[in-house]
Amino acid sequence: MRISRTAPWAAGLAAAALFLIPATATAGPQRTAAAPHAAAAATSVDDYYAPAAGKTGAALKTALHDIIKNQSTVTYDGVWNALKVTDQDPANPNNVILVYSGRSQSKNTNGGGVDDWNREHVWAKSHGDFGTATGPGTDLHHLRPEDVTVNSTRGNKDFDMGGSPVAEAPGSYTDADSFEPRDAVKGDVARMLLYMAVRYEGGDGFPDLEMNDKVNNGTAPLFGRISLLKQWNQMDPPDAFEKRRNQVIFDTYQHNRNPFIDHPEWVNSIW
């Protein structure tokens, strides 16, 4: 299996201050709901997850859901500016890193043009038909910058191995019913999907998002393949870029965390 953690910006980022948040970062009028953690950016990770301590299986999943459902929300327009902060290239503050392509691209080239970047829903919005509704449709924990053409190629496909190379996303592959991301973000993709499956459990007026071990899930609120995503989580552990992103979302935007970035071992405890 093609797994490599090397990336041109990784070494530099590892030496950077992991939790520094740009003082001038803004995302426009994005917060539409208050959350218990809105004034608790200094909360320790251990304290944040205290209600989940010692739990496994379904009990752990329920406890994590009860923790991370307490969040502020971001509007879909606000996502543009938020991604310019969460996915900033550590080697060039004027750029963002595109999730599947791995390319560093100007923050100002967001839009709908062929060579622009746009807002990729890693949990495809048609899987549950939530569209761009504030909630799952705007949740920064699974929204990432990506080249418009690559985003279209990925479409709403489930994740699996193999297929033909994706021209503008080196190391990524696709076929009629699945998409394989480049090795450096395989674990990131897994943890984003698993976050969504825990955060959205049928409350808040949104569908119950769940994992299965299939592709071709279509519009069902399901995503696969869980057996492979579990492998990706282990083979591609959270790196400094992913950890910083989680912290920025917690401190500045949603005030909730992706538990599988903080505790990747919880994936096997639940699934």
Side-chain angles (χ1 to χ4, degrees), residues 2-270:
R2 299 176 294 275
I3 300 293
S4 171
R5 286 304 304 173
T6 57
W9 42 264
L13 180 60
L18 186 60
F19 298 136
L20 283 179
I21 310 304
T24 58
T26 62
Q30 81 281 4
R31 293 181 194 168
T32 60
H37 298 293
T43 300
S44 74
V45 173
D46 287 345
D47 288 344
Y48 181 75
Y49 293 117
K55 294 181 171 63
T56 60
L60 175 59
K61 187 181 182 203
T62 297
L64 292 177
H65 169 74
D66 289 341
I67 294 167
I68 66 177
K69 72 179 181 181
N70 298 310
Q71 68 178 96
S72 297
T73 54
V74 181
T75 68
Y76 198 50
D77 283 341
V79 168
W80 285 121
N81 284 333
L83 292 181
K84 294 176 183 180
V85 180
T86 60
D87 290 75
Q88 179 175 294
D89 182 350
N92 184 347
N94 296 314
N95 287 10
V96 292
I97 299 292
L98 307 188
V99 60
Y100 305 134
S101 303
R103 186 169 73 240
S104 178
Q105 184 160 322
S106 171
K107 292 177 177 179
N108 297 325
T109 58
N110 60 296
V114 172
D115 292 320
D116 290 341
W117 63 268
N118 61 4
R119 297 160 291 187
E120 156 69 345
H121 290 78
V122 177
W123 187 292
K125 52 186 181 288
S126 64
H127 288 235
D129 196 28
F130 51 74
T132 58
T134 300
T138 67
D139 196 312
L140 294 171
H141 281 296
H142 84 116
L143 281 159
R144 301 292 291 267
E146 184 48 70
D147 175 88
V148 167
T149 304
V150 176
N151 196 342
S152 178
T153 297
R154 187 267 157 137
N156 69 347
K157 297 172 182 175
D158 293 271
F159 290 94
D160 204 350
M161 297 290 289
S164 302
V166 179
E168 293 190 72
S172 298
Y173 301 83
T174 192
D175 56 24
D177 57 17
S178 69
F179 188 89
E180 177 189 347
R182 61 192 177 101
D183 291 347
V185 295
K186 280 182 165 67
D188 306 50
V189 165
R191 288 180 285 274
M192 285 186 277
L193 293 174
L194 300 176
Y195 161 87
M196 293 291 282
V198 170
R199 168 60 187 87
Y200 299 99
E201 291 276 44
D204 308 326
F206 298 115
D208 181 7
L209 306 182
E210 294 294 345
M211 306 305 303
N212 67 9
D213 207 30
K214 303 190 299 182
V215 294
N216 273 329
N217 279 300
T219 59
L222 303 170
F223 239 102
R225 302 175 44 232
I226 182 59
S227 61
L228 185 60
L229 295 172
K230 288 172 63 178
Q231 293 177 36
W232 289 357
N233 174 59
Q234 290 185 308
M235 300 173 75
D236 172 31
D239 61 14
F241 185 92
E242 191 181 0
K243 291 176 181 178
R244 176 192 175 277
R245 188 175 196 279
N246 193 31
Q247 190 69 32
V248 171
I249 293 171
F250 178 70
D251 287 341
T252 307
Y253 298 105
Q254 295 183 184
H255 312 297
N256 71 341
R257 307 182 69 88
N258 182 333
F260 305 113
I261 295 174
D262 296 321
H263 287 279
E265 72 277 8
W266 282 346
V267 172
N268 285 341
S269 294
I270 295 174

